[in-house]
Amino acid sequence: TDQEVQTLIHDIKDVHDAEVDDKKNIDMITFADFEAWYQSSMFFKAKQERNEQEEEEGEEEEESEGGLDLSMPENPTWCNMIWYIFTYPICAVLFCTLPDVRTERYQRNWKWAVVAFLLSLVWIGIFSNWLYECLVVVSNTLRIPVAVSAVT
């Protein structure tokens, strides 16, 4: 057992020495070395290709679409149609009450962005209150205490 302890201590010392050597080697890498490695790596090239592809798609979307579109989807499936009917009232209310700050009319005016943000907070409060009221009705119908259902 004494020899096993000696062997373990020796192994631990070797591992510690290797970690110290690794730390010294890490300190020798400069930012320029890392940058040169990264720019020649497949990670950088893949990220660059993805960014270019997203940029091209973004330009196509900007040309074809100018904000929120409330029209019915083209060639909808049953699931798409049900989702469209379910979300249309919410989208229509938000479309009518929130200024679209992406349009040219509101682009350079920070006051409209603040108004849009504050109105968004108001709508979040209204939707949260409505959700809570629905929870109370369902809880009372199922005879579940509101505090229990609110937690879950």
Side-chain angles (χ1 to χ4, degrees):
T1 60
D2 200 28
Q3 187 169 0
E4 290 174 354
V5 171
Q6 293 283 338
T7 306
L8 283 174
I9 290 173
H10 186 266
D11 290 344
I12 291 172
K13 185 178 179 193
D14 289 344
V15 169
H16 176 68
D17 291 343
E19 288 176 356
V20 169
D21 289 343
D22 287 344
K23 287 181 183 176
K24 287 180 182 175
N25 290 338
I26 289 173
D27 291 338
M28 290 182 197
I29 296 174
T30 65
F31 181 75
D33 294 338
F34 174 77
E35 188 176 24
W37 168 83
Y38 182 70
Q39 289 180 351
S40 65
S41 71
M42 65 180 176
F43 304 113
F44 178 74
K45 292 174 184 171
K47 182 72 173 175
Q48 203 171 24
E49 289 173 6
R50 204 171 333 133
N51 287 344
E52 290 171 0
Q53 197 173 36
E54 288 176 3
E55 186 177 309
E56 290 172 3
E57 290 173 1
E59 289 173 1
E60 291 172 5
E61 283 182 11
E62 287 177 7
E63 292 172 1
S64 65
E65 207 173 307
L68 180 63
D69 184 19
L70 295 178
S71 62
M72 194 173 349
E74 298 175 13
N75 303 323
T77 63
W78 283 101
C79 183
N80 290 348
M81 196 62 190
I82 290 170
W83 185 251
Y84 173 76
I85 291 169
F86 179 71
T87 59
Y88 184 82
I90 296 170
C91 290
V93 167
L94 294 175
F95 181 78
C96 293
T97 58
L98 294 175
D100 188 4
V101 295
R102 297 174 295 176
T103 60
E104 195 68 33
R105 178 178 169 190
Y106 303 115
Q107 280 266 310
R108 300 284 181 219
N109 195 344
W110 65 271
K111 293 175 187 174
W112 281 108
V114 171
V115 168
F117 177 73
L118 293 175
L119 285 173
S120 297
L121 292 179
V122 168
W123 277 113
I124 289 171
I126 290 170
F127 290 139
S128 299
N129 189 30
W130 179 72
L131 183 63
Y132 176 75
E133 293 299 327
C134 290
L135 176 83
V136 169
V137 169
V138 170
S139 296
N140 289 336
T141 304
L142 298 176
R143 297 185 178 155
I144 300 172
V146 177
V148 172
S149 60
V151 169
T152 58

